[in-house]
Amino acid sequence: MLRTVSSVTVALGLLGATVAFTGAAVAAPSPASAAGPVALSGQSAAASGPGSAVALGPVSAGLGSALAKAGKKQCTVTDSRLRELSGLVVTRDGYIVINDSTDQDSRKRVFYLDKDCQVTRDIPYSGAGPFDTEDLALSPDRKTLWIADTGDNVTSRQRRERVAVWSMPVNASKQPVLHRLSYPDGKPRDAEALLIGDDNLPLIITKVTAGKAEIFTPDGPLKTGATEPVPMKKLGDVELPKTDTENPLSTFGRVAITGAARSPDGNRVVLRTYADAFEYDVQNGDIVGALTTGTPRVTALADPFGEAIAYSTDGKTFLTVSDAGHLDDEDPVDILSYTPSTEGPKNLAEDPDAAKKSAGQSFLDGLTLNDITYLIASVGVLGALLVGAGIFGILRARKRPTPAGKNGDDGPRSARKDDEADPATDRARGGVYGGGGASGGVYGGSPNGERPGGARSGPVYGARPANGGGGGRPAGGGVYGGGGRSGEAAPGYGGRSGAGRPAGGGGGGGVYGGGGRAGGPPGGGRAEPPRSGGRAEPPRRGGGPAEPPRRGGGGPAESDYRGRRSGRYREDAPEPYGQPPGGNYGYRGDRY
C-alpha cells in the first residue's frame, strides 16, 4: 500500500511540474514580429492590468485565418516612460496617451505628444493618483478628457471594491479630478473600454474572457474627490461577432474588449479587441442601443499587442497603439492607422474553409481563460487529495501495531505464545529451584495449579505432589539432590535414585534440583530457593542428600567446553569445578 501511494504521489508531482512548466511557457509574453504584417501565432500572452500575466492557451496558426493588413505607421514613441500605453486620443496638435497600471510615479501622468510622438508635457493626477488606468475618451464637445481608472485584473490578489473615472480639461489647464464608482451587485469586474454619452456620463464596458460584455453607467450625478462611490447601473450586454483573425491571444484575443472610441461627429463608435475593430452606427445618440442591437463592420488589426484605439480628427481612420510591456525591450512602440472596413462580420458557419480551420486547430485553441483556469484548478485539487491520502496512509501505517505472527522485521514466527506448550512435541526445559517438568514450578506453588490453556505447573521444593508422595523434588537429572529418571539410579554425591519424582516423569536437566520432563502437561514459572521450616532446602556440606561433585565421575567422554560456562580447576580434578563430566556444546543438564 505504501509503495502504491508513493508511486501515485511521485506521478502526481511529475504531472504538476509538467503543468507548471507548460503554464509558465504559455504565460510568457511573446515578442512581436516587426517585419511582418501578421500578428504572432503559436504564442500566448497576458491580459492587461496590474501584474497582468494571465496564462492562456497557445495560439494556433489557424489554417485559413484572416491575415490583417499592416497598419500605417504614424510615429514611434521613444520616451522610456511610455512602454505600457493603454489609452489614446487624437488632437489637432498630436496625441494624448496614458500608461497602463504602474507603481512608478513618473509614469502616473497624462502625457501630451506632438505629431512625432515626442512628449511635450505631462500632467500629474490630483490626490494619491489612479490605481489602474485603462482608456481615454473625449466628451461630445471634445473639451473634456475622461480617464477610465477601471482596471481590475482577474489575476490580482485583491480585487477592487470600487472603480473610478477622472476628468480634466483637454487643454491640460487643470489636473485630473477623481469620481468614484461602484458596481451594483458589489462583484468585481475588469473594464478597459470607456465612452462618453450625450449626457456627459461615462459608459464603462467590461472585459470578458468569453461570452457577453456588460455596459455600466453611473446611477446618479458624479461626485468629485475622495467620497463614497456612486453606484452604477447596468444598461445592457455586448456580444461581439466571431472572427478568425490571427492575434497573440487566439480565441480570448477575439473576445476581450480592450478599448473604445467615438467619432468626432458622434455617429459612430468603435470597440476593439486584440484582433479586430468593430464599428457601429449610432442613431440619435443611442450608443447603448447601437452596441446591444447593431451589426458592426469588422476591421482586422495587426498590432503586436494593441489595446488602445481612437478616431482621427476627421473621423476617417482608426489610430491604435500597443502595450509594449508585453513586448521585447528593443521592439518599437508605434502609433498605427487603419482605414475602417466597410464589410460586416463573416459568417464563419457558412465559410467553406471552416472544416479545414477546425481540423488545423488544437484542443487548446478553443479553450477560454475560464476553461483553462478550471482545468488547472481541477488538477491542483486532485493532486492535493492524492497527496493528503498518501500522508494519511503513511501516518496510519506507522501507528498500526505489529500484527500477530509477525516479528519486528516482518518475518514469520510461531503463532504460539511463548508460555504455551505442546506436551507431545516440546522438549523438557529445566526448572529453577525445583521447577519440574518442562517448566519449573514457582517456589511454593501448588502442584495442582492450572496454567492458561490447561497446562499444569510442576512441583517445587517442599510442595507435596498430587499423588500424595513425599515432599521431594520431581525426578530428573540435577544437582543438589536432583534425582534421575524414574527407575534409574544416577545420583551424584549422595543423590537418591528417583528421589521424589512423580511416576512417568521425563528427563531434563534443571538448576538446583530442577526435574526433567514432567509426565503431565508442562507449565510452571520461576522458582526461588526454599527458606526454612519444614521445606526442603539446598543440601549443605555433609548434611544433605547431595553435594556438588568434586571429582570426575561421568565417564571417559572427551571434554568439550564450547558453549559452557567457565569452570574453576583443581589440581586433583580432570574436569573444571562446576561442570559435569563429559558435557558438550548445547548440554542442558546440571548447572551449578
Side-chain angles (χ1 to χ4, degrees):
M1 176 64 183
L2 295 181
R3 291 183 178 177
T4 302
V5 171
S6 300
S7 300
V8 171
T9 304
V10 171
L12 180 64
L14 294 176
L15 177 61
T18 303
V19 171
F21 177 78
T22 304
V26 168
S30 58
S33 175
V38 182
L40 291 179
S41 63
Q43 304 285 338
S44 124
S48 63
S52 58
V54 179
L56 299 171
V59 177
S60 168
L63 295 177
S65 294
L67 304 181
K69 294 181 180 180
K72 183 178 179 181
K73 177 181 173 181
Q74 301 298 305
C75 60
T76 299
V77 180
T78 58
D79 194 302
S80 61
R81 296 174 294 174
L82 303 178
R83 293 292 297 175
E84 300 182 18
L85 299 181
S86 63
L88 170 70
V89 297
V90 182
T91 66
R92 292 181 179 179
D93 300 328
Y95 312 94
I96 304 175
V97 297
I98 56 169
N99 278 307
D100 200 341
S101 62
T102 178
D103 294 330
Q104 301 181 29
D105 291 336
S106 63
R107 298 187 179 188
K108 288 185 177 182
R109 295 170 179 265
V110 181
F111 294 89
Y112 285 74
L113 311 179
D114 60 21
K115 292 184 178 180
D116 295 325
C117 292
Q118 300 301 308
V119 177
T120 59
R121 55 182 168 171
D122 56 85
I123 309 300
Y125 293 87
S126 61
F131 181 78
D132 186 1
T133 53
E134 294 291 354
D135 201 9
L136 291 175
L138 289 173
S139 62
D141 60 9
R142 304 186 71 82
K143 293 182 179 180
T144 303
L145 178 69
W146 291 84
I147 306 163
D149 184 7
T150 55
D152 189 13
N153 209 308
V154 294
T155 58
S156 300
R157 293 184 178 179
Q158 184 175 1
R159 305 297 299 273
R160 299 179 67 172
E161 296 180 357
R162 62 194 179 202
V163 295
V165 291
W166 299 73
S167 64
M168 63 177 289
V170 73
N171 61 9
S173 59
K174 295 180 180 179
Q175 287 182 305
V177 293
L178 173 67
H179 311 284
R180 288 177 174 169
L181 302 169
S182 62
Y183 292 104
D185 54 7
K187 295 181 180 179
R189 292 168 174 84
D190 186 22
E192 299 186 5
L194 176 66
L195 293 169
I196 305 300
D198 287 345
D199 56 1
N200 281 316
L201 288 177
L203 297 172
I204 296 173
I205 304 171
T206 62
K207 179 181 182 180
V208 296
T209 60
K212 300 178 180 181
E214 299 173 289
I215 305 173
F216 292 94
T217 194
D219 190 14
L222 294 176
K223 300 177 182 179
T224 300
T227 63
E228 289 297 316
V230 175
M232 292 190 289
K233 60 183 177 181
K234 181 177 176 178
L235 299 179
D237 296 315
V238 180
E239 184 173 14
L240 299 177
K242 294 181 180 181
T243 72
D244 57 357
T245 306
E246 283 193 3
N247 70 95
L249 300 180
S250 188
T251 303
F252 172 75
R254 303 183 189 109
V255 176
I257 299 173
T258 63
R262 187 177 185 183
S263 65
D265 59 11
N267 294 330
R268 291 166 292 154
V269 292
V270 61
L271 305 179
R272 76 154 298 165
T273 64
Y274 291 102
D276 305 281
F278 302 86
E279 187 179 36
Y280 297 82
D281 291 327
V282 178
Q283 302 292 332
N284 302 319
D286 186 5
I287 298 176
V288 175
L291 296 177
T292 56
T293 63
T295 300
R297 294 173 295 275
V298 182
T299 302
L301 304 176
D303 299 358
F305 203 86
E307 292 197 352
I309 192 168
Y311 278 97
S312 61
T313 54
D314 60 8
K316 293 181 178 180
T317 59
F318 302 139
L319 289 103
T320 66
V321 70
S322 288
D323 181 351
H326 302 289
L327 307 179
D328 290 340
D329 292 340
E330 63 272 13
D331 289 334
V333 180
D334 295 331
I335 294 180
L336 305 175
S337 66
Y338 296 87
T339 300
S341 172
T342 59
E343 297 180 359
K346 185 187 298 185
N347 189 349
L348 298 181
E350 298 179 359
D351 186 355
D353 295 329
K356 294 181 180 179
K357 296 173 187 176
S358 300
Q361 292 181 346
S362 68
F363 165 74
L364 294 178
D365 283 333
L367 295 179
T368 65
L369 178 61
N370 287 336
D371 296 334
I372 296 173
T373 302
Y374 293 145
L375 181 62
I376 295 176
S378 299
V379 173
V381 170
L382 177 62
L385 291 176
L386 291 177
V387 171
I391 295 175
F392 175 77
I394 292 173
L395 294 178
R396 186 176 181 182
R398 289 182 176 178
K399 293 180 179 180
R400 185 181 303 163
T402 304
K406 297 282 185 179
N407 57 21
D409 297 329
D410 292 338
R413 73 177 184 182
S414 174
R416 192 178 63 198
K417 296 182 180 179
D418 291 342
D419 58 351
E420 294 178 353
D422 185 354
T425 59
D426 279 4
R427 295 184 58 85
R429 287 185 282 179
V432 181
Y433 272 114
S439 296
V442 179
Y443 172 69
S446 170
N448 294 326
E450 297 294 335
R451 288 188 51 77
R456 298 175 59 86
S457 56
V460 298
Y461 277 104
R464 190 172 299 275
N467 57 7
R473 55 177 292 280
V479 298
Y480 278 127
R485 295 180 181 271
S486 179
E488 295 178 352
Y493 263 88
R496 293 178 298 168
S497 173
R501 178 173 176 79
V511 180
Y512 270 95
R517 187 185 308 176
R526 186 169 63 91
E528 296 184 3
R531 303 300 181 183
S532 61
R535 296 182 182 272
E537 296 182 358
R540 312 280 184 182
R541 177 185 286 282
E547 292 182 358
R550 299 300 185 182
R551 291 179 171 82
E558 182 178 354
S559 300
D560 184 358
Y561 305 125
R562 292 175 297 174
R564 294 160 45 188
R565 294 173 54 179
S566 60
R568 295 173 57 188
Y569 286 85
R570 294 180 54 172
E571 296 180 357
D572 56 348
E575 293 289 340
Y577 174 73
Q579 295 289 352
N584 53 22
Y585 181 77
Y587 178 77
R588 295 183 177 274
D590 305 42
R591 296 178 60 187
Y592 178 72

